[in-house]
Amino acid sequence: MMLAAAAMGSEPYLILGAILFAMGAVGLLIRRNALVMFMCVELMLNAVNLSFVALSRELDDLGGQIAVFFVLVVAAAEVVVGLGIIVSIFRRRQGATADDLSVLKG
């Protein structure tokens, strides 16, 4: 059982990463809700991370896993700043969309 998992290449992971990235990109372009757009960006980042790890394992190189570490650090900072902005928008308006960013001008 373990032998079959070790023999599997990186193609299924790359296909899954491409599908997840496409879902995130379509969601980002179609939806206007700021929170949903934020989640789509996070989905796209995680799809890229999956591809980095799959290729890192395939090439037997730690560079991809190190890149994933830095992407996760940047994503964590993005979550803090992004959620702060989204919460401040939703405090002013309940049904806020991405077009309502002008509300933050003051």
Side-chain angles (χ1 to χ4, degrees), residues 57-69:
R57 183 173 176 255
E58 181 78 21
L59 298 174
D60 200 24
D61 184 25
L62 287 178
Q65 294 177 10
I66 293 170
V68 167
F69 175 73

Side-chain angles (χ1 to χ4, degrees), residues 65-87:
Q65 294 177 10
I66 293 170
V68 167
F69 175 73
F70 285 114
V71 169
L72 286 176
V73 169
V74 170
E78 178 207 355
V79 165
V80 170
V81 173
L83 281 179
I85 292 171
I86 290 172
V87 166

Side-chain angles (χ1 to χ4, degrees), residues 3-73:
L3 204 54
M8 188 169 71
S10 62
E11 292 86 10
Y13 300 109
L14 293 175
I15 291 170
L16 178 63
I19 291 170
L20 289 175
F21 190 87
M23 286 173 49
V26 168
L28 186 66
L29 293 173
I30 291 177
R31 302 300 300 245
R32 300 305 301 160
N33 187 346
L35 190 58
V36 173
M37 291 173 70
F38 184 70
M39 290 190 310
C40 288
V41 169
E42 293 297 322
L43 182 65
M44 291 167 61
L45 284 174
N46 285 325
V48 171
N49 284 341
L50 179 63
S51 299
F52 275 152
V53 170
L55 289 175
S56 175
R57 183 173 176 255
E58 181 78 21
L59 298 174
D60 200 24
D61 184 25
L62 287 178
Q65 294 177 10
I66 293 170
V68 167
F69 175 73
F70 285 114
V71 169
L72 286 176
V73 169

